[in-house]
């Protein structure tokens, strides 16, 4: 496949830090966690999450459309519309057959599925909505956005657990390189702030149990970390060949220079303790981008705040970089939106390069003595940033690493 320079020309974000790119960026710079007690999780051992506040889908999408689709699609569609507008495109005017949609999602429509299972379990099968399937299956994230924006090229959803959003962006870049399309709407969306995911992740021991202090619960790389916080949200990027973007005088936020993916082959949930799968993905992304480790000035870590993941990722970074460049962990503020996380973090990495400011990691009070990283905390850090990595690590040992460069 012929190598092409790929430009990020549009961004769209719906996150617990804010609805829209600027609101999310301002929220990230504040360094304040959005975790709070969640009434939908009342009665569970872990009763808090990072939810998108004040998200009114009917006001943003209209009552009929918002009624038809699940929350994860609603957020993805709002973010996709923002990203396309940000890129300066009018879907009524583009050649839709040359526009692709590649999005990540881990679990589909938790909101709708839980309601319908309740009806089924109570014996009311005839009350189940005929929209049950289309509201809940993961592929409809891409299907609804494709129809709404008249993006008529290849359309698909990737599902690599917590790496889904990063995987989608990498696959979207490959579609551009293959010549299958000229524009890609890519990223991810997920809503897992629901009782069943909360109970399931809780039973796994993956969630923080800091119910007395939700805002202080997610603390990546901290010595006192005890698990992640459920989140939700959507991150969408518009990708184009750099030459095409320049030909239409489109603003370029960043360049997507490389993509690397790997599998741990170690355990169905636990990461390789030495992070060798992540090492392979990072090295593949660097090679794809024609960058060396010394060219990377910043790393947006997966940083879940679990004991095993943070230590494994830190070891991987030290293995590749020796002394890794400054690191931040967005989940400390946004929680973990599973299939949406990698896409949201990729968008924030783009903004970090654009503004030359690294957002802080929340709640890091005492760095784990076994972790040797320069983690940006307490306040944003301004510095010269030429290139950055965004890491995503999923259950099943699936890893995706994106390499971005300043334009």
């Amino acid at each position: 496949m012929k190598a092409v320079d790929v430009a990020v020309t549009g961004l769209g974000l719906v996150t617990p830090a804010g609805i829209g790119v600027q609101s999310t960026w301002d929220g990230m710079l504040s360094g304040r966690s959005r975790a709070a007690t969640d009434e939908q999780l009342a009665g569970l051992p872990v009763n808090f999450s990072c939810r998108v506040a004040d998200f009114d889908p009917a006001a943003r999408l209209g009552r009929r459309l918002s009624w038809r689709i699940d929350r994860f699609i609603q957020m993805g569609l709002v973010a996709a519309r923002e990203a396309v507008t940000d890129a300066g495109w009018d879907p009524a005017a583009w050649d839709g057959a040359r526009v692709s949609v590649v999005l990540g999602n881990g679990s589909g429509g938790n909101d709708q599925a839980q309601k319908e299972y309740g009806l089924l379990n109570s014996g009311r099968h005839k009350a189940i909505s005929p929209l049950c399937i289309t509201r809940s299956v993961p592929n409809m994230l891409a299907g609804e956005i494709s129809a709404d924006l008249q993006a008529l090229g290849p359309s698909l959803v990737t599902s690599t657990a917590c790496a889904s959003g990063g995987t989608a962006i990498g696959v979207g870049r490959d579609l551009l390189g293959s010549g299958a399309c000229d524009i890609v709407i890519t990223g991810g969306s997920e809503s897992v702030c629901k009782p069943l995911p909360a109970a399931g992740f809780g039973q796994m021991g993956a969630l923080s149990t800091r119910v007395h202090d939700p805002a202080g619960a997610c603390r990546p790389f901290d010595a006192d970390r005890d698990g992640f916080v459920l989140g939700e949200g959507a991150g969408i990027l518009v990708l184009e060949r750099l030459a095409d973007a320049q030909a239409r005088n489109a603003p370029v936020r960043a360049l997507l220079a490389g993509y690397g993916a790997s599998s741990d082959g170690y355990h169905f949930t636990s990461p390789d303790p030495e992070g060798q799968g992540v090492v392979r993905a990072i090295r593949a992304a660097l090679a794809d981008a024609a960058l060396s480790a010394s060219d990377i000035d910043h790393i947006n870590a997966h940083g879940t705040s679990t004991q095993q993941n943070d230590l494994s990722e830190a070891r991987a970074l030290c293995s590749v970089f020796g002394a890794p460049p400054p690191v931040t962990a967005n989940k400390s503020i946004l929680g973990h939106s599973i299939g949406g996380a990698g896409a949201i973090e990729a968008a924030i990495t783009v903004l970090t390069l654009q503004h030359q400011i690294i957002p802080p990691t929340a709640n890091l009070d005492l760095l784990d003595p076994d972790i040797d990283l320069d983690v940006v905390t307490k306040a944003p850090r301004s510095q010269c940033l030429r290139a950055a990595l965004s890491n995503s690590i999923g259950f099943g040992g699936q890893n995706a690493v994106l390499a971005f460069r300043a334009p």
Side-chain angles (χ1 to χ4, degrees):
M1 185 168 59
K2 182 180 178 181
V4 295
D5 292 323
V6 173
V8 180
T9 57
L11 293 179
L13 285 165
V14 175
T15 76
I19 300 171
V21 170
Q22 189 60 54
S23 294
T24 292
W25 181 243
D26 291 344
M28 298 307 300
L29 295 182
S30 77
R32 179 173 64 85
S33 169
R34 278 359 195 224
T37 301
D38 187 338
E39 64 180 16
Q40 291 194 32
L41 305 182
L44 293 175
V46 177
N47 63 354
F48 59 92
S49 72
C50 285
R51 186 176 290 279
V52 178
D54 302 321
F55 180 68
D56 184 346
R60 294 177 180 275
L61 300 172
R63 293 182 63 183
R64 184 174 181 81
L65 176 57
S66 62
W67 167 79
R68 194 182 75 229
I69 58 180
D70 195 90
R71 186 174 175 88
F72 80 108
I73 303 174
Q74 294 167 350
M75 294 189 297
L77 183 50
V78 169
R81 287 180 177 181
E82 180 187 24
V84 168
T85 299
D86 183 53
W89 282 108
D90 177 2
W94 64 18
D95 180 1
R98 300 296 299 168
V99 183
S100 290
V101 179
V102 185
L103 300 170
N105 178 262
S107 62
N110 288 289
D111 195 19
Q112 185 64 28
Q114 189 150 309
K115 293 176 183 176
E116 304 296 352
Y117 275 124
L119 293 171
L120 183 64
N121 290 337
S122 66
R124 300 173 60 203
H125 64 276
K126 290 188 177 181
I128 291 174
S129 171
L131 299 177
C132 170
I133 301 302
T134 58
R135 281 173 171 161
S136 60
V137 290
N139 79 290
M140 292 304 293
L141 175 63
E144 291 283 2
I145 289 174
S146 171
D148 186 82
L149 298 174
Q150 285 297 285
L152 308 179
S155 167
L156 66 146
V157 167
T158 63
S159 187
T160 51
C162 311
S164 298
T167 301
I169 294 168
V171 171
R173 176 179 175 272
D174 289 347
L175 278 177
L176 275 178
S178 74
C181 57
D182 299 321
I183 304 166
V184 179
I185 301 165
T186 186
S189 183
E190 191 99 64
S191 179
V192 288
C193 302
K194 305 295 176 185
L196 184 58
F201 282 119
Q203 286 294 98
M204 292 174 65
L207 299 183
S208 171
T209 59
R210 197 181 290 255
V211 294
H212 62 284
D213 179 26
C218 190
R219 41 202 322 114
F221 308 114
D222 191 88
D224 196 30
R225 67 191 183 277
D226 72 329
F228 66 79
V229 176
L230 287 175
E232 63 177 1
I236 304 292
L237 292 72
V238 174
L239 305 180
E240 305 174 52
R241 299 180 193 88
L242 177 60
D244 293 342
Q246 291 172 332
R248 67 182 188 90
N249 295 316
V252 175
R253 287 185 177 266
L255 301 178
L256 175 52
Y259 166 58
S262 69
S263 299
D264 285 358
Y266 176 77
H267 188 268
F268 68 101
T269 56
S270 298
D272 174 356
E274 300 303 316
Q276 288 306 300
V278 179
V279 168
R280 290 191 295 274
I282 290 173
R283 288 179 172 159
L286 292 174
D288 189 37
L291 295 170
S292 67
S294 62
D295 293 321
I296 302 300
D297 297 315
H298 166 57
I299 297 165
N300 190 310
H302 186 62
T304 59
S305 183
T306 62
Q307 285 287 336
Q308 291 179 315
N309 177 86
D310 288 6
L311 185 57
S312 172
E313 186 176 15
R315 287 172 175 166
L317 294 178
C318 289
S319 178
V320 173
F321 295 95
V327 170
T328 195
N330 300 157
K331 293 179 182 70
S332 63
I333 295 172
L334 303 175
H336 193 350
S337 58
I338 314 299
I344 292 168
E345 290 158 13
I348 292 170
T349 304
V350 168
L351 292 169
T352 297
L353 287 171
Q354 183 178 353
H355 295 290
Q356 299 284 286
I357 300 173
I358 302 173
T361 300
N363 300 321
L364 178 52
D365 298 325
L366 177 64
L367 186 67
D368 184 329
D370 292 326
I371 290 176
D372 187 16
L373 296 177
D374 174 16
V375 184
V376 177
T377 186
K378 308 304 181 188
R381 183 185 299 180
S382 297
Q383 71 174 67
C384 178
L385 301 169
R386 301 164 298 168
L389 299 182
S390 180
N391 293 347
S392 297
I393 302 167
F395 282 157
Q398 294 171 297
N399 309 299
V401 175
L402 301 167
F404 292 96
R405 288 194 292 113

